[in-house]
Every structure is written in C-alpha cells, then in structure tokens.
Amino acid sequence: MILFFYALIALVVAAGVAVAIQYDSGYLLLAYGQTTVEMTLWVAVAVLAVFCFAVWLLFSFLRRGAKLTDRLGSLRSERRAQRARLQQHRGVVAYVEGNWQKARRLLQDAAHDGEGPLIGYLLAARASQRLGDDKGVVQALSRAEHCGVRADVAVALTQAEIQIERGQLEPALATLSRLRSRADRHPAVLGLLARVYRGLNDWTGLRELIPELRKRSLLADNDLASLEELALRGEMRNLQQAGDAAALKQWWRQLSKGDCQAALLRDYIPALLAVAEADEASNLLRQAIKMEWQDDLVLLYASIDDSNPQKQLSTAEGWLKEHGDSTTLLLALGRISLRNELWGKAREYLEQAHRVAPSAAVCFELSRLLGNLGETDAAAAYLSEGMQLQGQQLPSLPQPRG
C-alpha cells in the first residue's frame, strides 16, 4: 500500500513537471571568466538532482565502509580478547601444575593483551620467584602497579609474601608496616605480619597483634590461643635470658589471671629459678597447689631449693591430711626431707611410697639413699627394681660363676 502511494505521488510530480516544461522551458546562463554555459532551466534542475544523488550515494558508501571498519575492528578486538583469555587460563593451569616458565610467559602475554592484567602480572611475579628470577619479579610487579588505582595494595602484599618466602623478613616488615593503616580494609596484612613477627622472634610485636587478629576473626580461637601462648613463652624466655628478675616478675603480674597464667606456670617456675628467685617460685607453687592439686606441680615444688627448707617440709606435710595416699606426695616429701638432711624421715616417706605404688623414681631415690647409708645390698635391689620398672632391665644372659 505504501509503495503504491509513493508511486502515485511520483506520477503526479512527473505530470506536473511535464506540464511545466511544455508551458515554459526556462533559460539558465552560467558565466565564469571567458567561459559560459547555457541550458534550459529544467536541464539544470535535472543536472542538480543527479549531482545531489551522487553526493548522497557517496556518503552512503562512506558510512557503510566506516561501519564495516568498526565491525572488523570489533571482531579483531574480540578475537584478541578471546586469545588473551585462553592464554590466561592456560597460564593459571601451568602455574598450578608448577610449570613456572610456561606460566610466566602465558600470563604476561595475556596481561599485555589486556585480559586481567593485574592478576596476570601478580602471578607472573610469583612464577618468577619460583624460578629464582629476581629481575623478573621486579619487572612484573612494576607493571602490575600501573594496572589500576587499587593495584598498589595487591602489589605490596604480593611483594611481602615473596620477601617472606625468600627469608627477607625485615624488608617484608617494612613493606607491611606501610600497609598497617589499611588493615581494616585489607586483613591479609595482619596475617602476614604475624608470620614476620614469628620469623623475627619479635614476640612483643606478635602479642600486640593478637587483639587485632581476634577482632577480625582471622584465626580460629584455638589457633589464636596457641599463637598467644607462643608469644608469651617467647617474651618470658627473653626476660629469663636477660637475667632481669624484676622485669620477669612484673611481666607475670601483668598477665591475665586464670587460663593464661595456668598454661605458663610450668615454664615460669624454671624461669624464676634461673634468675635466682627460688622463694618466689615456692610461694607461687604453694598458691597454685592450694587452688588445684596436680601431681606434677607437687614434684616441681619438691625440686625447688628453698631458702627455708623447714617451711617447705611443713607445708608439704600439711597436704598429707587430704592426699596421704598419693605416691607423688610421698616421693616429694622424701626429697624435701633429704634437703633438710633428715635421712630417717626421708627413708620412711620413700619406703611408704614404694609400698603404695612402686615406681622407678622411688626405687632410684631409695637406692641412692641406702647406698650412701652403707646398705649396699638393699641399694642394689632397689636399683635393679627401678631399672625393671623403667623398662631398662638387662636381658637374661649366661654369666660367669664365682
């Protein structure tokens, strides 16, 4: 219907033009310098129409050519991006498989073609690290820095991890310290800092980091407790090695009561003894045993060379009311009696412990005591029994007869 309408209009226009031409053909003169061109008006109109049609046709061809060029360019870009994606995929697979040389080449090519450049350069840096190519690491990280506004954090974290793997802990600490203020947004900084502090034996730094690790739930509660205990033991060891008794006791008083001190008590007592604080160790153990009876603490109490061994003995004898059948307590009393040079009392406690439950430690103590008292046969018998209880008895072999 529309085509018929257009055809009707064209016929009407043609008829009108034909009538106009018959009525008056018109006259057109064009002059330029010595040149003149003469034609009828309607010929001039026809020439102008042809010219306009030619111009329209030319622009139409140019526009279509531009669209074709854009399509070709888009097709090339798409194919290039597809090739880059394939290279990146193959590069990641090679990286996981440990083919570092191939992985680095594919990842760098993919990054150069614009497919995930930051990821590509970061993994390429790690592959260079595996290859021991320090120059390659620097080049890959340098290119990664120019991949976006937030690339600096990812680059710094990758650099710190590589430094840690190389054992360059102090440079890694410097790198991570610059990112410490961004830990709220990048918790991985704290995890890496914990590794660096452990490697540097910076127990104070590690201990100060634990509240932040706990706040952001970066580790399980058990792992955090183990890490905190490790840091505290390290601090205590450093104070012990420094020989500063006052600083060591002040450090202990600042610890939280309960689980923290209970877990460290067995290490703290030897630390006190190492800095000549035997009386402080005795007092602390008396308090701990009063709160909760533990056999190993009783033996530890008996091993202390207290400045007042009489008080030490009377305190331990006071525990007999509730723990009179404890072989551990009887052994401890025997040893404390030896420290008081009460040979008869020491023998009584040790023999009573042997009657309740013989053990290698009790037998060896009796053997040593009786040997020094001149009872060599009894000492030899206890020594043999102690070796058997300890699992060190001699095999049955023929022996010469006297």
Side-chain angles (χ1 to χ4, degrees), residues 60-79:
S60 178
F61 283 145
L62 290 176
R63 186 175 59 220
R64 292 185 180 181
K67 289 182 178 179
L68 180 60
T69 302
D70 291 340
R71 289 180 181 177
L72 291 175
S74 298
L75 182 60
R76 285 195 298 268
S77 298
E78 184 178 350
R79 292 182 62 183

Side-chain angles (χ1 to χ4, degrees), residues 210 214 219-232 263:
I210 289 174
R214 181 176 289 110
L219 294 175
D221 291 340
N222 291 338
D223 294 334
L224 279 172
S226 299
L227 194 64
E228 184 176 18
E229 187 174 326
L230 176 67
L232 291 171

Side-chain angles (χ1 to χ4, degrees), residues 356-367:
V356 173
S359 67
V362 171
C363 289
F364 290 148
E365 288 290 1
L366 278 169
S367 176

Side-chain angles (χ1 to χ4, degrees), residues 13 45 47 57 235 239 241 266 290 356 363:
V13 171
V45 170
V47 171
L57 191 61
E235 285 186 322
L239 291 171
Q241 292 173 353
R266 290 162 180 78
K290 184 178 180 181
V356 173
C363 289

Side-chain angles (χ1 to χ4, degrees), residues 5 16 20 27 51 92 112 128 140 153 168 225 239 249 282 320 365:
F5 180 72
Y27 177 76
F51 176 76
V92 172
H112 180 71
S128 297
V153 176
Q168 299 172 346
L239 291 171
K249 291 190 289 185
S282 290
L320 284 170
E365 288 290 1

Side-chain angles (χ1 to χ4, degrees), residues 190-212:
L190 299 177
L192 292 176
L193 274 173
R195 292 175 58 185
V196 172
Y197 285 140
R198 289 186 63 174
L200 291 174
N201 293 332
D202 185 354
W203 307 116
T204 301
L206 178 59
R207 184 184 172 191
E208 293 174 350
L209 191 66
I210 289 174
E212 295 187 61

Side-chain angles (χ1 to χ4, degrees), residues 132-292:
D133 184 1
D134 295 343
K135 184 177 180 181
V137 172
V138 174
Q139 288 178 346
L141 291 179
S142 177
R143 291 173 180 173
E145 287 180 348
H146 299 88
C147 291
V149 178
R150 300 182 179 178
D152 58 336
V153 176
V155 171
L157 287 173
T158 302
Q159 183 180 17
E161 289 186 10
I162 291 175
Q163 289 170 334
I164 292 173
E165 292 177 2
R166 291 177 177 176
Q168 299 172 346
L169 299 180
E170 292 183 356
L173 179 60
T175 301
L176 293 170
S177 296
R178 293 194 298 268
L179 299 175
R180 183 71 180 271
S181 60
R182 307 187 188 183
D184 289 335
R185 291 178 295 168
H186 307 286
V189 175
L190 299 177
L192 292 176
L193 274 173
R195 292 175 58 185
V196 172
Y197 285 140
R198 289 186 63 174
L200 291 174
N201 293 332
D202 185 354
W203 307 116
T204 301
L206 178 59
R207 184 184 172 191
E208 293 174 350
L209 191 66
I210 289 174
E212 295 187 61
L213 294 172
R214 181 176 289 110
K215 178 181 177 181
R216 292 170 178 80
S217 301
L218 295 179
L219 294 175
D221 291 340
N222 291 338
D223 294 334
L224 279 172
S226 299
L227 194 64
E228 184 176 18
E229 187 174 326
L230 176 67
L232 291 171
R233 292 182 190 278
E235 285 186 322
M236 179 170 58
R237 186 167 53 252
N238 290 341
L239 291 171
Q240 174 185 337
Q241 292 173 353
D244 191 341
L248 180 62
K249 291 190 289 185
Q250 178 65 23
W251 172 84
W252 179 260
R253 286 191 292 268
Q254 291 177 349
L255 292 182
S256 59
K257 304 295 182 181
D259 295 340
C260 190
Q261 287 189 344
L264 297 173
L265 181 62
R266 290 162 180 78
D267 292 321
Y268 181 59
I269 296 301
L272 284 175
L273 298 176
V275 295
E277 288 289 339
D279 292 346
E280 178 74 14
S282 290
N283 293 331
L284 190 59
L285 278 173
R286 279 194 288 268
Q287 297 172 13
I289 294 171
K290 184 178 180 181
M291 294 177 60
E292 181 180 2

